[in-house]
Amino acid sequence: MSEHRVEVVWRRETEGFGYDEYTRGHEWRFGGARTVPASAAPAFRGDPGRVDPEAAFAASLSSCHMLTFLALAARKRLFVDSYEDSASAYLEKGENGRLQVTRVVLRPRIVFGGNLCPSPEEIERMHHRSHEECFIANSVTTEVVVEAPEVG
């Protein structure tokens, strides 16, 4: 249905190329719209001032879930005033002994406006459906957990 492109650009900035020498810093370029400074996670000699792939993975899942939730709310004629999430990706050894993001936990905080406020059960159903319809969640085997959302 659609293609989504990103350029990943890295250049050697050190004289040598030993494991302890080369920089992990690189750029993600999204179609000329935005450049994001990226790096390995700090635990892997990365720059903590840049976005690491594991955090970007959590952000991608969180963003997709949120956008799907907002679409469902709009179709139900609910008004969402704000949606915030504090997502976490957990890098652990998988059953195969290799490092992998084994789970991502989403912690949405939603404020509804207008005259209609869904029940906690309806919100839970909306999150379940959002997860089922999220393109990114449908593309990975990582467990994605939505913790009880805060609603204001």
Side-chain angles (χ1 to χ4, degrees):
M1 289 178 52
S2 61
E3 178 181 5
H4 306 269
R5 301 185 79 158
V6 61
E7 292 180 16
V8 177
V9 179
W10 175 89
R11 303 244 190 295
R12 184 170 50 85
E13 297 174 355
T14 57
E15 188 172 322
F17 189 69
Y19 183 80
D20 293 337
E21 295 177 87
Y22 71 89
T23 179
R24 273 55 170 180
H26 57 283
E27 292 181 345
W28 298 335
R29 297 178 184 167
F30 296 90
R34 181 81 57 183
T35 297
V36 175
S39 182
F44 299 97
R45 308 186 62 78
D47 181 344
R50 292 174 171 243
V51 179
D52 64 74
E54 296 82 7
F57 183 65
S60 178
L61 281 161
S62 174
S63 182
C64 184
H65 184 92
M66 176 198 69
L67 293 168
T68 306
F69 185 93
L70 294 176
L72 294 173
R75 285 188 208 123
K76 291 179 172 285
R77 302 203 186 288
L78 299 170
F79 283 77
V80 177
D81 286 339
S82 67
Y83 183 115
E84 297 178 15
D85 190 3
S86 179
S88 298
Y90 293 88
L91 184 66
E92 302 168 323
K93 281 193 178 181
E95 291 180 13
N96 60 8
R98 294 181 180 173
L99 285 177
Q100 62 189 62
V101 176
T102 57
R103 62 194 158 101
V104 172
V105 177
L106 309 180
R107 298 174 189 90
R109 293 175 305 285
I110 304 154
V111 176
F112 289 92
N115 296 330
L116 298 174
C117 186
S119 69
E121 295 79 19
E122 179 64 16
I123 293 169
E124 185 177 331
R125 284 191 297 273
M126 290 172 67
H127 278 294
H128 180 75
R129 186 164 173 207
S130 296
H131 176 67
E132 288 181 337
E133 294 185 16
C134 170
F135 311 146
I136 305 300
N138 288 331
S139 302
V140 299
T141 58
T142 298
E143 177 186 14
V144 180
V145 177
V146 180
E147 291 189 344
E150 294 180 24
V151 178

